[in-house]
């Protein structure tokens, strides 16, 4: 379990290094509520994808930017 | 692991992921439809898509991994596929601002760049009904900036983008995603960090691995690579003499070179600084070309007393070809006086060598540029 956390924390650190802009929680997201069912283009092929496509397994979601 | 990207240029994230050897799925949200106000954010979702933690600590992460979550009594059916543009267009005909926004969002995300005009029109109409809707200002700014970078560019697109991003931030100054978009193109004093300096290192390290770096459709430059500054660093006076003090060089009356200037932020606070983006394009309709056989393009700005600029005299280098038609860019920063209010126009000019066609007459010309600076009323 610690290695999962370490892997997760390592990736999180990458994002903190490139795009740390604040500590406030994002608007519109609430613990205990469903994640919004947005359909967005996938980076890989531009095809429509939604977080609902990943239902059935636990998801670690990173919302980030490369800047 | 899944990602959602809050970025105008997804190709840059593709390069970043290649650099860091990240291969998990990424969804692109250039309009910030998700409505997040900051990045990065980490969200833990259970098997049913329920948010279980936001920016979790280690113990929350461990609990999430171990927990067996109950199936909710009700789950919204997932929507799949692209938006139904025809249905959204029909709904937008009623001029409801939400319907107009939805149509414009769908056009932006799922149509090619030739439809950006319609997306911009949709957002503009939505703002006429709902002028204080910050997300619409932001998205309209994103659409203008994308059109500016596309073959469908129109005059003033970047300026419009900067203005709408500014209006969005005025409505919600705590929206850091919007703030960062302005800072990306804004002055060094306002930058929290260099936005895309990592691109250089990424390419070097990718090439060192024997790979070819992902090609970027829009190369970062100027403000996007500039580093933050704590104090404004004014240009020393008289390091270079003014190139045409008497105004004797013949003006480019034909408009062989088209010049567009944008100041970011669109409105400066008294005593504040801004970054001026000047773009120079040979007029394709006149078959104008740069003449590269003589000397570099020179840009000169000498603002009124009390103003500061980080440079007075700028040059733009030439490619090796005798003539060319590339876009040339000049960027500089200025700082305005504390007591200034209202819009102010400052003079600048450009000197360049231009040809009327590939084998046409080549001329040395000057073009005067009026840089309009909008200043917020009152003291900061």
């Amino acid at each position: 379990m610690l290695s999962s956390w370490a892997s997760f924390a390592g990736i999180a650190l990458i994002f903190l290094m490139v795009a740390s802009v604040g500590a406030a929680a994002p608007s519109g997201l609430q613990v205990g509520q469903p994640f919004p069912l947005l359909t967005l283009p996938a980076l890989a092929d531009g095809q429509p994808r939604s977080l609902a496509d990943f239902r059935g397994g636990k998801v670690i979601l990173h919302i980030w930017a490369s800047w | 692991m899944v990602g959602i990207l809050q970025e105008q240029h997804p190709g840059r994230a593709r390069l970043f992921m290649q650099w860091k050897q990240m291969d998990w799925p990424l969804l692109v949200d250039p309009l910030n439809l998700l409505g997040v106000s900051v990045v990065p954010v980490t969200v833990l979702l259970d098997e049913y898509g329920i948010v279980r933690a936001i920016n979790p600590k280690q113990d929350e992460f461990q609990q999430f991994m171990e927990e067996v979550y109950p199936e909710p009594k009700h789950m919204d059916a997932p929507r799949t596929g692209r938006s139904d543009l025809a249905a959204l267009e029909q709904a937008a005909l009623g001029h409801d601002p939400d319907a107009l926004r939805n149509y414009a969002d769908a056009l932006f995300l799922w149509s090619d760049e030739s439809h950006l005009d319609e997306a911009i029109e949709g957002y503009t109409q939505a703002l006429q009904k709902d002028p204080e809707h910050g997300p619409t200002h932001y998205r309209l700014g994103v659409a203008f900036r994308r059109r500016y970078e596309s073959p469908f560019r129109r005059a003033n697109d970047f300026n419009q983008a900067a203005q709408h991003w500014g209006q969005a931030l005025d409505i919600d100054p705590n929206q850091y995603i919007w703030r960062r978009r302005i800072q990306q193109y804004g002055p060094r004093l306002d930058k929290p960090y260099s936005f895309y300096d990592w691109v250089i290192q990424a390419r070097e390290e990718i090439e060192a691995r024997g790979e070819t770096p992902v090609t970027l459709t829009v190369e970062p430059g100027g403000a996007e690579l500039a580093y933050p500054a704590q104090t404004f660093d004014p240009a020393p006076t008289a390091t270079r003499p003014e190139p045409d003090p008497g105004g004797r060089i013949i003006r480019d009356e034909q408009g062989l070179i088209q010049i567009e200037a944008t100041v970011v932020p669109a409105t400066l606070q008294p005593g504040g600084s801004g970054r001026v983006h000047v773009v120079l394009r040979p007029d394709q309709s006149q078959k104008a070309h740069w003449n590269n056989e003589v000397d570099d393009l020179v840009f000169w700005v000498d603002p009124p007393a009390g103003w500061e600029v980080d440079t007075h005299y700028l040059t733009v280098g030439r490619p090796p070809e005798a003539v060319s038609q590339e876009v040339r860019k000049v960027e500089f920063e200025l700082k305005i006086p504390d007591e200034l209010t209202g819009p102010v126009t400052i003079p600048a000019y450009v000197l360049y060598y231009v040809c009327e066609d590939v084998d046409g007459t080549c001329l040395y010309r000057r073009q005067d540029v009026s840089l309009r600076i909008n200043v917020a009323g009152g003291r900061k």
Side-chain angles (χ1 to χ4, degrees):
Chain A
M1 186 57 61
L2 190 59
S3 63
S4 296
W5 166 254
S7 170
F8 158 73
I11 289 167
L13 182 61
I14 289 173
F15 295 119
L16 284 168
M17 286 165 60
V18 299
S20 180
V21 302
S27 61
L29 297 182
Q30 277 191 299
V31 172
Q33 296 298 312
F35 192 85
L37 287 173
L38 282 175
T39 301
L40 295 166
L43 181 71
D45 57 9
Q47 291 303 305
R49 298 294 300 270
S50 160
L51 263 292
D53 298 343
F54 302 95
R55 282 181 184 171
K58 289 177 176 172
V59 171
I60 302 168
L61 171 66
H62 281 295
I63 305 165
W64 64 288
S66 73
W67 35 260
Chain B
M1 197 83 73
V2 180
I4 293 182
L5 184 71
Q6 295 293 328
E7 196 156 350
Q8 175 114 36
H9 304 100
R12 297 178 185 178
R14 198 174 285 122
L15 179 67
F16 186 91
M17 294 183 78
Q18 182 189 18
W19 178 34
K20 297 294 180 185
Q21 299 178 302
M22 295 151 54
D23 61 357
W24 26 275
L26 189 64
L27 281 58
V28 183
D29 185 16
L31 299 170
N32 192 11
L33 300 183
L34 192 54
V36 291
S37 54
V38 296
V39 289
V41 178
T42 300
V43 184
L44 302 182
L45 304 175
D46 70 16
E47 293 89 335
Y48 309 103
I50 307 295
V51 175
R52 293 300 174 187
I54 299 171
N55 291 330
K57 295 182 172 58
Q58 183 173 353
D59 58 336
E60 291 176 294
F61 180 76
Q62 288 178 337
Q63 183 187 350
F64 169 75
M65 296 302 286
E66 292 164 4
E67 184 93 19
V68 177
Y69 292 100
E71 184 173 352
K73 291 176 182 167
H74 170 75
M75 286 172 61
D76 289 334
R79 290 167 291 179
T80 55
R82 295 167 194 258
S83 303
D84 182 344
L85 277 172
L88 290 171
E89 182 181 16
Q90 188 66 31
L93 292 176
H95 293 93
D96 171 71
D98 285 332
L100 287 161
R101 265 189 293 274
N102 290 339
Y103 180 47
D105 292 344
L107 283 167
F108 184 95
L109 288 179
W110 307 113
S111 297
D112 62 41
E113 291 172 331
S114 67
H115 292 277
L116 283 170
D117 292 356
E118 296 156 74
I120 287 169
E121 179 63 23
Y123 289 131
T124 303
Q125 287 188 26
L127 284 174
Q128 287 167 359
K129 299 278 183 183
D130 196 1
E132 294 300 310
H133 195 265
T136 308
H137 281 290
Y138 176 74
R139 293 175 204 175
L140 181 53
V142 172
F144 272 122
R145 177 69 199 189
R146 186 174 171 202
R147 191 171 71 177
Y148 171 78
E149 293 169 339
S150 81
F152 303 95
R153 172 184 49 80
R154 293 191 187 186
N156 223 25
D157 274 352
F158 185 21
N159 210 342
Q160 294 268 26
Q163 287 189 29
H164 284 286
W165 289 334
Q167 286 176 267
L169 197 61
D170 283 345
I171 292 166
D172 184 358
N174 296 305
Q175 231 296 1
Y176 278 83
I177 300 294
W178 303 351
R179 186 179 295 278
R180 288 295 183 262
R181 190 55 54 89
I182 298 169
Q183 291 170 331
Q184 183 174 339
Y185 302 104
R188 297 177 63 207
L189 278 181
D190 290 349
K191 283 187 186 301
Y193 37 70
S194 171
F195 278 67
Y196 287 102
D197 61 334
W198 62 263
V199 166
I200 300 156
Q201 183 186 354
R203 284 177 172 149
E204 288 173 357
E205 293 185 14
I206 290 167
E207 285 170 352
R209 295 201 300 253
E211 301 171 35
T212 303
V214 166
T215 303
L216 301 183
T217 50
V218 181
E219 191 68 25
E224 295 183 288
L225 301 176
Y227 284 91
Q230 297 298 315
T231 56
F232 191 84
D233 190 14
T237 53
T239 52
R240 301 287 294 267
E242 181 175 353
D244 184 29
R248 299 174 63 194
I249 306 298
I250 297 172
R251 303 302 189 271
D252 180 3
E253 301 287 358
Q254 294 167 259
L256 292 167
I257 300 298
Q258 298 176 331
I259 300 180
E260 191 173 323
T262 301
V263 183
V264 183
T267 301
L268 275 62
Q269 296 296 324
S273 69
R275 191 168 182 105
V276 182
H277 301 247
V278 183
V279 177
L280 305 102
R281 293 184 173 87
D283 184 1
Q284 304 278 350
S285 68
Q286 299 188 69
K287 300 180 181 174
H289 287 67
W290 300 111
N291 173 14
N292 301 324
E293 295 178 314
V294 190
D295 212 345
D296 290 344
L297 176 153
V298 173
F299 180 89
W300 172 261
V301 58
D302 194 12
W307 292 59
E308 293 177 308
V309 289
D310 63 356
T311 182
H312 293 278
Y313 187 108
L314 282 157
T315 59
V316 179
R318 299 158 283 156
E321 300 80 27
V323 294
S324 60
Q325 282 191 303
E326 78 281 4
V327 175
R328 295 186 177 177
K329 297 179 181 177
V330 170
E331 292 184 27
F332 69 95
E333 298 195 2
L334 51 77
K335 185 172 183 297
I336 66 175
D338 289 340
E339 306 299 330
L340 200 67
T341 58
V344 180
T345 299
I346 63 169
Y349 60 85
V350 196
L351 301 170
Y352 46 78
Y353 294 86
V354 62
C355 301
E356 293 176 322
D357 203 341
V358 175
D359 298 315
T361 305
C362 294
L363 310 159
Y364 182 49
R365 287 290 180 261
R366 164 174 166 157
Q367 190 167 159
D368 296 327
V369 185
S370 293
L371 302 171
R372 183 182 165 87
I373 314 292
N374 294 314
V375 185
R379 290 179 64 83
K380 188 160 44 174

